[in-house]
Amino acid sequence: MPPTAPSPHEDTSLEQLPVLALLRAALPTLSPQLQQLARLALESPAEVGRMTITEYAERAGSSAASVTRLCRTLGIERFTRLRTELVLAADRTESSHSPRITGDITDRTPLPELVTSHSVLSARSMEETARLLDPGTFEEVVRVLGEAGHVYAMGAGSAHMIAVSLEHKLRSLSVPATTFHDPPSAVIGLAAARPGDVLVVVSETGTASETVPQLAEAARRGCRTVLITRLSTSPAAELADHVLLAVQDRTPLRTGALTSRIPELFLTDCLASGIVVRHHERSLEALGSVEEALERYW
């Protein structure tokens, strides 16, 4: 099931609620009006933190009611709390002395600046992905993967390399795994699936045509399902048992770039490392066998 926002009654301090990360993760799923509000808060958190709700709404060409809806979408009860979180986030950014980097590319972008931009955005994506990762969900996904009879991974397009990377990691840890590159191949492969197996789908948007057939077939055969995605609401998120959000910094000229895939690779690394922790002896033995086999020929 898709991840849920924190309850308004829960502690929403910056450590529990990384507001800029939440805004970036929620942005693609918001209505146009709420997107305008979210973009303004992301671009100028300190400035928005000093505004009244009316000033904020007017600056974004929106309404006070829309501001309230944005707060509720983020799991924040009142606008005053959002203001506080934005000011704290802005202060934290300024105190780190980090340059403001958007990742935008133009015909005048200096190449050294381009390299710096990619490195900073990659690091930020991993940090925000980690902060949004629900510990309970992570523990459960590690458990089902480590105990799976077989893991099936599916990723279309550039997401396929994430699925293949996960497959290689799992197989090196003695977890049988198979990768598919399109929904029809996945549905055919899942004909051999059994209860206790796991399907992991990597899909940025979780669109129905790209994800629903294999998720539905896996569920029909009693498999657990995991979705790695950047959107918290989608047809795939509604079907999957567990959703892991990968926070991505995207601009039109960087679609499909490595920086948009790094948070997904980061999540697969975390899952594989979690299996090593939970199945330590088995993992060490498996990794030793892999190393021995490779040394025999290379």
Side-chain angles (χ1 to χ4, degrees):
M1 298 299 293
T4 56
S7 163
H9 301 291
E10 293 175 0
D11 179 11
T12 54
S13 66
L14 188 60
E15 287 305 310
Q16 283 73 38
L17 181 57
V19 67
L20 298 184
L22 283 179
L23 283 166
R24 265 187 283 272
L27 190 61
T29 68
L30 299 176
S31 66
Q33 273 194 327
L34 298 191
Q35 283 189 355
Q36 285 292 101
L37 290 164
R39 287 195 181 97
L40 180 57
L42 285 167
E43 292 168 1
S44 307
E47 186 178 358
V48 172
R50 294 190 295 269
M51 293 179 181
T52 65
I53 190 170
T54 302
E55 291 170 338
Y56 181 31
E58 289 178 352
R59 178 71 66 86
S62 187
S63 65
S66 293
V67 175
T68 300
R69 283 198 297 274
L70 176 63
C71 292
R72 289 175 179 168
T73 299
L74 299 175
I76 301 175
E77 189 175 11
R78 296 180 299 276
F79 175 63
T80 53
R81 184 66 185 183
L82 176 62
R83 289 174 53 192
T84 301
E85 296 296 344
L86 289 172
V87 170
L88 289 172
D91 288 345
R92 184 176 179 180
T93 300
E94 291 176 5
S95 65
S96 68
H97 304 292
S98 299
R100 184 177 181 275
I101 292 178
T102 64
D104 294 332
I105 299 174
T106 71
D107 57 352
R108 297 183 180 182
T109 301
L111 293 185
E113 179 182 311
L114 187 68
V115 174
T116 300
S117 172
H118 276 269
S119 66
V120 171
L121 292 176
S122 297
R124 185 169 74 186
S125 291
M126 286 191 291
E127 178 185 1
E128 294 184 347
T129 295
R131 297 184 70 193
L132 282 180
L133 185 60
D134 177 70
T137 300
F138 177 65
E139 288 265 0
E140 181 62 10
V141 173
V142 167
R143 185 188 70 78
V144 298
L145 288 176
E147 298 175 359
H150 199 104
V151 175
Y152 300 91
M154 183 330 199
S158 59
H160 183 59
M161 71 174 184
I162 310 301
V164 170
S165 175
L166 177 61
E167 177 196 353
H168 289 172
K169 290 180 175 70
L170 294 175
R171 290 172 62 185
S172 69
L173 298 173
S174 286
V175 178
T178 303
T179 304
F180 307 110
H181 61 82
D182 59 55
S185 297
V187 170
I188 292 170
L190 286 166
R194 299 290 182 269
D197 292 347
V198 179
L199 170 67
V200 179
V201 175
V202 184
S203 174
E204 287 189 42
T205 58
T207 56
S209 61
E210 185 181 278
T211 61
V212 167
Q214 61 268 38
L215 285 169
E217 182 63 17
R220 189 175 77 86
R221 295 185 176 275
C223 301
R224 300 295 294 275
T225 54
V226 179
L227 174 68
I228 297 177
T229 184
R230 69 182 175 92
L231 300 184
S232 59
T233 57
S234 68
E238 292 296 328
L239 282 179
D241 294 317
H242 307 290
V243 178
L244 303 178
L245 289 179
V247 180
Q248 299 176 357
D249 281 289
R250 299 173 59 85
T251 64
L253 293 182
R254 295 195 314 113
T255 299
L258 177 61
T259 46
S260 69
R261 306 255 70 115
I262 280 179
E264 297 165 344
L265 286 168
F266 169 69
L267 285 172
T268 64
D269 275 348
C270 290
L271 292 172
S273 298
I275 292 173
V276 173
V277 172
R278 291 288 179 257
H279 302 272
H280 196 64
E281 293 301 321
R282 185 188 77 185
S283 298
L284 290 181
E285 182 179 349
L287 291 170
S289 296
V290 169
E291 185 176 357
E292 179 185 359
L294 291 174
E295 288 181 348
R296 186 180 302 274
Y297 301 103
W298 292 283

